[in-house]
C-alpha cells in the first residue's frame, strides 16, 4: 500500500470526522492558545493515534474526560492530506483583543464582546482538509460587493479594494453556469497588508489576496495628487 511521505499520522488506521475549536489570539504573547476537540473513527483495531504537528506546546490530551499519555516528537512533517476532510462544528469560538476583527475560512455566525475581548463564532458544515483552516485577525474593515461577497482590507485601502474586486459576484455567477451551484455559502476576500507582498490562498469562504493587486491603483492616486 502506498504511504504518503508528507505525513506521519496513522491516517490509514484512524481518521478525523469532526473538529470543534476554542481559540484565543494573544498579540502580546504572539501566540494562539486554546483547545481542539476531535471526533475520531477507527478504521481498524488501533492502540494509538498519531497526528501531525509543528511548533505546538501541548499541555494535555484526554479522551472522554480521562487524561491520556502522549509524546511530542521533533521533526514531524506536516501533511496536506486532501483525502481526509472533516466539517468544523457550529459554535467554534475565536476570542480576539478589543475591537479587532476575526475572519475564518468558515461562516461567521455572530460575535459578542466581554470586557476587552470579542469572541467570534463560526461554522463550516462542508468537510475540508485541515490545511485549509485559516484565520485572520486585525484592524480591517468590510465593504459589501453582493449579498454573498464582501471584501475586507485595512481602512486606508478598503475602498480601493472594493473598486478592484467589484466584479467578484459576476465572476462567481459565470463560474456557477459552468460548474454548478457554489457550495460554500460565502465568497469573501481579504486583502493582506503590504508586509505580505506576494502570494495568496483560496480558502473555503475566504480568499487571501496579495496587496500588490492594488499597487497600480495607488500609483494612479499618487499621480493625481502630484
Amino acid at each position: 500500500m502506498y504511504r504518503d511521505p508528507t505525513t506521519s499520522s496513522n491516517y490509514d488506521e484512524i481518521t478525523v470526522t469532526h473538529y470543534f475549536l476554542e481559540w484565543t489570539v494573544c498579540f502580546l504573547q504572539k501566540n494562539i492558545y486554546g483547545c481542539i476537540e476531535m471526533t475520531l473513527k477507527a478504521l481498524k483495531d488501533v492502540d494509538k493515534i498519531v497526528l501531525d504537528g509543528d511548533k505546538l506546546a501541548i499541555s494535555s490530551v484526554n479522551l472522554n474526560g480521562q487524561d491520556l499519555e502522549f509524546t511530542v516528537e521533533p521533526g514531524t512533517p506536516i501533511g496536506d492530506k486532501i483525502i481526509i476532510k472533516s466539517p468544523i462544528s457550529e459554535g467554534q469560538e475565536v476570542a480576539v483583543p478589543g475591537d479587532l476583527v476575526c475572519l475564518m475560512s468558515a461562516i461567521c455566525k455572530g460575535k459578542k464582546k466581554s470586557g476587552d475581548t470579542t469572541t467570534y463564532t463560526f461554522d463550516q458544515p462542508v468537510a475540508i482538509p485541515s490545511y485549509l483552516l485559516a484565520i485572520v485577525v486585525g484592524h480591517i474593515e468590510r465593504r459589501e460587493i453582493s449579498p454573498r461577497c464582501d471584501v475586507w482590507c485595512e481602512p486606508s485601502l478598503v475602498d480601493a479594494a472594493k473598486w478592484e474586486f467589484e466584479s467578484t459576484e459576476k465572476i462567481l455567477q459565470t463560474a456557477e453556469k459552468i460548474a454548478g451551484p457554489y457550495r460554500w455559502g460565502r465568497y469573501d476576500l481579504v486583502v493582506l497588508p503590504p508586509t505580505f507582498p506576494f502570494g495568496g490562498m483560496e480558502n473555503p469562504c475566504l480568499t487571501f489576496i496579495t496587496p500588490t493587486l492594488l499597487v497600480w491603483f495607488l500609483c494612479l492616486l499618487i499621480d493625481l495628487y502630484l
Side-chain angles (χ1 to χ4, degrees):
M1 178 180 177
Y2 170 76
R3 176 69 193 177
D4 189 336
T6 66
T7 177
S8 293
S9 68
N10 55 340
Y11 65 90
D12 54 340
E13 297 178 330
I14 192 166
T15 188
V16 182
T17 62
H18 226 275
Y19 293 100
F20 181 80
L21 310 174
E22 287 185 352
W23 288 349
T24 297
V25 178
C26 182
F27 281 86
L28 292 178
Q29 298 179 12
K30 298 181 180 180
N31 65 15
I32 299 175
Y33 62 89
C35 64
I36 177 169
E37 180 180 308
M38 307 168 67
T39 303
L40 304 167
K41 179 181 179 181
L43 305 177
K44 58 181 68 174
D45 290 337
V46 293
D47 59 2
K48 65 179 179 180
I49 303 167
V50 182
L51 301 172
D52 291 323
D54 187 35
K55 299 178 181 178
L56 298 176
I58 302 173
S59 60
S60 64
V61 178
N62 68 73
L63 174 65
N64 298 328
Q66 299 294 319
D67 289 337
L68 301 178
E69 294 183 359
F70 67 95
T71 60
V72 179
E73 298 181 0
T76 303
I78 301 299
D80 289 348
K81 289 299 296 176
I82 298 177
I83 62 172
I84 301 177
K85 301 179 181 180
S86 307
I88 302 173
S89 300
E90 182 175 357
Q92 60 185 308
E93 297 183 346
V94 180
V96 302
D99 295 321
L100 296 183
V101 173
C102 180
L103 307 176
M104 181 181 277
S105 51
I107 304 294
C108 183
K109 307 299 288 187
K111 64 178 181 178
K112 59 182 179 181
K113 189 170 184 179
S114 177
D116 296 330
T117 301
T118 302
T119 301
Y120 289 78
T121 57
F122 297 93
D123 177 31
Q124 180 51 272
V126 180
I128 62 173
S130 60
Y131 78 95
L132 287 180
L133 175 64
I135 65 171
V136 176
V137 179
H139 181 42
I140 53 179
E141 292 185 0
R142 177 183 71 92
R143 294 293 185 270
E144 182 179 282
I145 298 173
S146 73
R148 59 177 174 175
C149 298
D150 290 337
V151 61
W152 296 82
C153 189
E154 294 176 292
S156 60
L157 295 176
V158 68
D159 290 322
K162 180 185 178 182
W163 185 90
E164 181 67 51
F165 300 109
E166 63 181 356
S167 298
T168 300
E169 175 63 32
K170 294 180 181 178
I171 295 172
L172 196 57
Q173 291 178 11
T174 300
E176 287 183 311
K177 293 178 182 178
I178 299 172
Y182 181 67
R183 296 182 57 198
W184 304 99
R186 294 203 60 82
Y187 186 90
D188 292 338
L189 306 101
V190 56
V191 180
L192 302 175
T195 48
F196 294 86
F198 300 104
M201 183 64 187
E202 300 78 20
N203 294 87
C205 305
L206 184 66
T207 292
F208 292 66
I209 300 294
T210 171
T212 54
L213 295 178
L214 304 180
V215 168
W216 75 269
F217 183 75
L218 296 178
C219 291
L220 176 61
L221 289 179
I222 293 173
D223 289 340
L224 290 174
Y225 280 94
L226 290 179

